[in-house]
Amino acid sequence: MGAWFPADEAELAAGFRLWLELSDRVYPDPSWDGTPADAIRQVRDLLAACESIRLDYLAEASEPSVALLQLLQSMPFVASFPVDLWHDDTHPLDVERAELLHGDLASFADHVAGVRAALARGGGWVELDRRPWGLPVD
């Protein structure tokens, strides 16, 4: 993942919002109904939040950062395969399909971790990603 350093307050705020959104929205939450479509619902919600951040940032920034826009635009690009594959699958998972879904979500989670790490380094939030006993979260 490339380097990112905020140039102004609008970019800093957008980067921090993105970092917060990416913190826990990759895997299904406790309300998950056990279907792939519902697992992907949370990813789709995350993508909607990314688009909201992008639009708000473009409205505020006088000279939008290419680096931040690339981080934002990477999210739907990387998520497109699992979202397209699983978004309408409402059948309960069997063992084989569960492994496939987990693999697809894990690949997306790896990308999210890279984006969060780039944002944390550039924004100065690396320490916020640490657990109380000093171990990294990602």
Side-chain angles (χ1 to χ4, degrees), residues 4 20 25 30 53 66 68 73 80 83-85 96 113 121-122 131 137-138:
W4 169 79
L20 289 172
R25 296 178 60 171
I53 292 167
V66 171
L68 182 59
Q73 292 167 341
S80 64
V83 168
D84 288 347
L85 184 62
E96 182 179 328
R121 281 190 306 273
R131 296 180 184 192
V137 173
D138 292 329

Side-chain angles (χ1 to χ4, degrees), residues 20 23 25 47 104 111 115 126 133:
L20 289 172
S23 66
R25 296 178 60 171
L47 296 178
D104 291 341
H111 178 72
V115 171
V126 172
W133 53 89

Side-chain angles (χ1 to χ4, degrees), residues 22 27 115:
L22 298 178
Y27 289 104
V115 171

Side-chain angles (χ1 to χ4, degrees), residues 28-90:
D29 61 23
S31 69
W32 180 45
D33 71 3
T35 65
D38 198 43
I40 292 300
R41 169 189 50 85
Q42 197 156 334
V43 173
R44 294 174 88 178
D45 291 348
L46 174 59
L47 296 178
C50 290
E51 180 63 4
S52 174
I53 292 167
R54 187 184 75 80
L55 292 174
D56 290 349
Y57 174 62
L58 288 172
E60 291 179 32
S62 55
E63 293 181 37
S65 162
V66 171
L68 182 59
L69 291 174
Q70 287 174 339
L71 289 174
L72 284 161
Q73 292 167 341
S74 73
M75 302 306 295
F77 178 76
V78 173
S80 64
F81 176 74
V83 168
D84 288 347
L85 184 62
W86 299 105
H87 78 279
D88 61 353
D89 187 338
T90 57

Side-chain angles (χ1 to χ4, degrees), residues 80-116:
S80 64
F81 176 74
V83 168
D84 288 347
L85 184 62
W86 299 105
H87 78 279
D88 61 353
D89 187 338
T90 57
H91 302 290
L93 289 169
D94 57 32
V95 173
E96 182 179 328
R97 290 174 59 244
E99 289 175 3
L100 293 170
L101 176 61
H102 181 269
D104 291 341
L105 291 175
S107 293
F108 181 62
D110 287 344
H111 178 72
V112 167
V115 171
R116 285 193 84 237

